[in-house]
Amino acid sequence: MKMNSLLRRRRRHPAAEFASTHGPLLLVGAAAGAALIYLTSSRGKRHRHMAVDKTVSAARSTANAVGSRARDLGNRARGLVAEARRSERQAVAQS
C-alpha cells in the first residue's frame, strides 16, 4: 500500500454531506409541516384552543415562579442587612 493512499482523507458520501449540512433545516421544516397539519385539521379549532390554553398556563406559572423567587431573594437580602446591622451594633457595644 502506498503511503499517500493511507494519508488521503476518505470522501464522504454525497447524501451524508447533504444531511450534515441541511439536516437541522429539514427537521425544522418537518416540525413546521406537522404543526400546520395538526392545527388545520378537522379538529384544528380545538387544537388551537388547547395550544393557547397551555401557553397561557405556562406563562402564568412562569410569572408566579419568578415572582416567588424575587420575593425570596428580597427577603434574603433584607435578612442579610438585618444581620449586618445587628453584628455592627454588637461590635460597637463591646468596644
Side-chain angles (χ1 to χ4, degrees), residues 20 24 62 72 90:
S20 68
T62 302
D72 177 53
Q90 285 178 349

Side-chain angles (χ1 to χ4, degrees), residues 61-79:
S61 64
T62 302
N64 289 340
V66 168
S68 65
R69 186 68 179 162
R71 285 190 303 277
D72 177 53
L73 290 174
N75 290 336
R76 287 175 190 250
R78 196 173 306 125

Side-chain angles (χ1 to χ4, degrees), residues 22-40:
H22 295 86
L25 185 60
L26 289 173
L27 288 175
V28 169
L36 186 65
I37 290 172
Y38 182 76
L39 295 175
T40 60

Side-chain angles (χ1 to χ4, degrees), residues 8-80:
R8 217 177 333 182
R9 205 170 156 188
R10 215 174 150 186
R11 272 187 83 181
R12 293 174 71 180
H13 191 273
E17 191 72 35
F18 181 83
S20 68
T21 56
H22 295 86
L25 185 60
L26 289 173
L27 288 175
V28 169
L36 186 65
I37 290 172
Y38 182 76
L39 295 175
T40 60
S41 67
S42 61
R43 291 187 231 162
K45 184 175 181 178
R46 179 176 178 264
H47 290 158
R48 284 190 298 276
H49 284 287
M50 285 174 46
V52 167
D53 289 344
K54 286 183 179 185
T55 304
V56 168
S57 173
R60 283 185 183 150
S61 64
T62 302
N64 289 340
V66 168
S68 65
R69 186 68 179 162
R71 285 190 303 277
D72 177 53
L73 290 174
N75 290 336
R76 287 175 190 250
R78 196 173 306 125
L80 286 173

